[in-house]
């Protein structure tokens, strides 16, 4: 069932003492994809226009419990698809992110499965493409370790095997230590301008690399290489 301030068809209940005959259907001004249904001259519920068209609802149609059940099921699917598509329009999302979003809006598990399958088949949800772009962008804007990338993607629901395959291909181009060294060199230059004590500089650099998820041995090797480069510059 969709959360909304507007009374939806999912929340509408038949009055057993009155015939539910549609007296009017008006299109909504704020949402051109939804309409308002009136019964006996009074607003009854809001509904997606796609649902109206699918069931060919017209003025003077009578709503019984069976038809209402069908309307609710179909309309919830339409609402869920609209919500998921809007959610995906802002940026690429993982299957888990979309599923969690719809679940919070109280859609049923059955609807979630149906919508997710539809979005995956249309290519709007693609965890492999998401992970590839995520890793690429992260390594350009804020380089972190493969371990940290894995942790972040796992939280987003990306399968471990997908992450491992993408990282394996990426590591063929540039290794973990090479990435750490590149990040460390830039940070080291900044620290040299701020910190005069060399021991503290190294401690801060090590802490910085640790915050990016690089393992102890990688950090140790990077610090050793930086020391060697500093000595070479002195001669």
């Amino acid at each position: 069932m969709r959360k909304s301030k507007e009374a939806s068809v999912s929340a509408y209940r038949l009055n057993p003492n009155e015939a539910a005959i549609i007296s009017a259907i008006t299109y909504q001004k704020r949402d051109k994809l939804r309409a308002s249904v009136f019964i006996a001259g009074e607003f009854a519920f809001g509904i997606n226009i796609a649902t109206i068209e699918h069931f060919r609802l017209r003025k003077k149609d009578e709503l019984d419990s069976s038809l209402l059940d069908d309307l609710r099921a179909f309309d919830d699917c339409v609402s869920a698809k609209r919500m998921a598509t809007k959610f995906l329009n802002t940026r690429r999302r993982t299957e888990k992110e979309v599923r969690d979003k719809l679940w919070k809006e109280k859609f049923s598990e059955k609807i979630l499965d149906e919508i997710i399958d539809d979005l995956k088949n249309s290519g709007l949800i693609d965890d492999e493409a998401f992970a590839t772009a995520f890793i690429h962008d992260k390594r350009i804007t804020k380089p972190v370790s493969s371990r940290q990338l894995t942790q972040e993607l796992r939280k987003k629901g990306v399968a471990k095997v997908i992450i491992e395959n993408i990282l394996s291909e990426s590591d063929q181009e540039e290794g973990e230590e090479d990435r750490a060294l590149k990040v460390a060199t830039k940070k080291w230059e900044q620290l040299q301008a701020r910190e005069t004590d060399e021991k503290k500089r190294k401690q801060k650099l090590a802490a910085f690399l640790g915050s990016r998820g690089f393992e102890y041995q990688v950090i140790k090797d990077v610090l050793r290489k930086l020391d060697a480069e500093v000595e070479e510059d002195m001669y």
Side-chain angles (χ1 to χ4, degrees), residues 70-154:
D70 291 341
L71 289 175
R72 292 186 189 106
F74 187 88
D75 200 62
D76 275 350
C77 280
V78 174
S79 294
K81 180 70 176 290
R82 285 188 61 194
M83 187 174 293
T85 302
K86 184 177 180 181
F87 189 53
L88 287 163
N89 279 342
T90 55
R91 66 170 176 82
R92 189 182 287 275
R93 313 270 183 177
T94 64
E95 176 182 339
K96 181 180 183 300
E97 287 178 312
V98 177
R99 187 176 290 275
D100 287 348
K101 171 69 173 177
L102 297 180
W103 182 254
K104 287 179 182 178
E105 298 298 331
K106 307 299 182 183
F107 289 107
S108 69
E109 192 72 35
K110 180 181 178 181
I111 289 177
L112 262 62
D113 290 341
E114 183 177 331
I115 297 302
I116 293 296
D117 285 345
D118 186 37
L119 292 171
K120 287 170 71 174
N121 289 334
S122 64
L124 290 176
I125 290 179
D126 185 335
D127 280 4
E128 185 173 352
F130 176 93
T132 300
F134 184 89
I135 291 171
H136 176 268
D137 293 346
K138 270 281 188 179
R139 284 183 167 165
I140 291 177
T141 60
K142 187 181 178 181
V144 296
S145 69
S146 293
R147 180 176 63 174
Q148 187 158 320
L149 285 170
T150 299
Q151 291 173 347
E152 291 182 29
L153 286 169
R154 290 295 289 143

Side-chain angles (χ1 to χ4, degrees), residues 19-80:
I21 298 176
I22 298 175
S23 57
I25 299 176
T26 61
Y27 295 103
Q28 296 181 2
K29 293 181 179 180
R30 293 184 178 181
D31 189 341
K32 295 181 180 180
L33 295 179
R34 288 184 66 79
S36 297
V37 175
F38 293 79
I39 294 176
E42 295 185 0
F43 172 77
F45 53 81
I47 194 169
N48 289 292
I49 292 175
T51 306
I52 292 175
E53 293 175 347
H54 180 80
F55 288 91
R56 299 180 180 275
L57 291 181
R58 298 292 184 268
K59 182 179 178 180
K60 296 184 180 181
D61 283 353
E62 182 171 359
L63 304 178
D64 57 27
S65 58
S66 177
L67 177 56
L68 273 172
D69 286 343
D70 291 341
L71 289 175
R72 292 186 189 106
F74 187 88
D75 200 62
D76 275 350
C77 280
V78 174
S79 294

Side-chain angles (χ1 to χ4, degrees), residues 158-175:
V158 180
K160 188 176 180 180
V161 65
I162 291 177
I163 302 170
E164 289 176 345
N165 288 338
I166 297 171
L167 288 176
S168 177
E169 292 181 9
S170 177
D171 287 344
Q172 291 178 10
E173 300 176 4
E174 184 179 46

